[in-house]
Amino acid sequence: MFFGEAKHNIDPKGRLVMPAKFRDGLAEGFVMTKGLDQCIFLFPLDEWKRMEEKLKQLPLTHKNARAFVRYFFSGACDGELDKQGRVRIPQNLIHYADLQQKSVIIGVGTRMEIWSEALWDAYNEDESLSYDQIAQQLADLGI
């Protein structure tokens, strides 16, 4: 289970130090891909396999399903931690997430997200994002 937030810098080679508390969950490897809201999703291998199975169930005949699967898988790449606990982020994902030097790594339960610090700050300052309102809408759905 991943939770919490950490800020780290990306070096010129696209390497990012993973917080120590997240490393155990990545020891067997991981998959990174384009996430939603212009972040990078990082899945441990077992969770990636679960997600892959769910996406395989989407109907090929549904245009939005095909588009989502293309988007999700086309940005995906395997990864592993180096001896210093860093991940190397491919250039296409750095560009997609607009990662500069400063980044934020957040734990989101079964996955991690990597954000540019500027985009993460903007996301958290968005007035339309009301934790209370979202909680109420989810409660109305019975969640």
Side-chain angles (χ1 to χ4, degrees):
M1 174 73 76
F2 301 106
F3 58 90
E5 175 181 321
K7 294 183 179 185
H8 287 279
N9 290 333
I10 296 176
D11 73 15
K13 294 181 181 179
R15 296 176 301 194
L16 177 65
V17 174
M18 280 289 116
K21 69 180 186 173
F22 292 162
R23 292 180 194 168
D24 284 344
L26 303 176
E28 301 299 317
F30 55 86
V31 176
M32 285 185 280
T33 192
K34 297 173 188 172
L36 303 173
D37 303 312
Q38 204 177 348
C39 72
I40 297 169
F41 285 171
L42 195 151
F43 294 93
L45 287 180
D46 60 340
E47 191 58 36
W48 174 259
K49 290 178 198 281
R50 278 190 215 95
M51 187 64 153
E52 190 176 26
E53 287 304 314
K54 288 179 185 177
L55 292 175
K56 284 181 187 178
Q57 302 305 314
L58 293 175
L60 183 63
T61 56
H62 194 279
K63 184 176 182 174
N64 285 339
R66 288 191 313 272
F68 185 81
V69 169
R70 283 183 192 125
Y71 177 84
F72 198 75
F73 285 111
S74 69
C77 65
D78 295 322
E80 58 184 29
L81 294 174
D82 69 11
K83 292 176 184 172
Q84 286 79 37
R86 299 174 299 192
V87 301
R88 194 189 76 66
I89 303 171
Q91 197 60 41
N92 66 314
L93 293 179
I94 287 173
H95 178 73
Y96 166 77
D98 195 27
L99 295 175
Q100 305 298 318
Q101 184 180 13
K102 296 181 178 185
S103 66
V104 180
I105 305 153
I106 63 171
V108 191
T110 59
R111 72 174 187 280
M112 286 178 267
E113 295 179 353
I114 301 170
W115 290 75
S116 84
E117 187 176 59
L119 288 174
W120 179 245
D121 290 346
Y123 178 82
N124 282 298
E125 292 170 5
D126 184 354
E127 289 182 24
S128 69
L129 181 69
S130 167
Y131 189 57
D132 293 337
Q133 288 174 341
I134 293 168
Q136 181 59 52
Q137 289 172 358
L138 292 174
D140 291 346
L141 294 173
I143 298 174

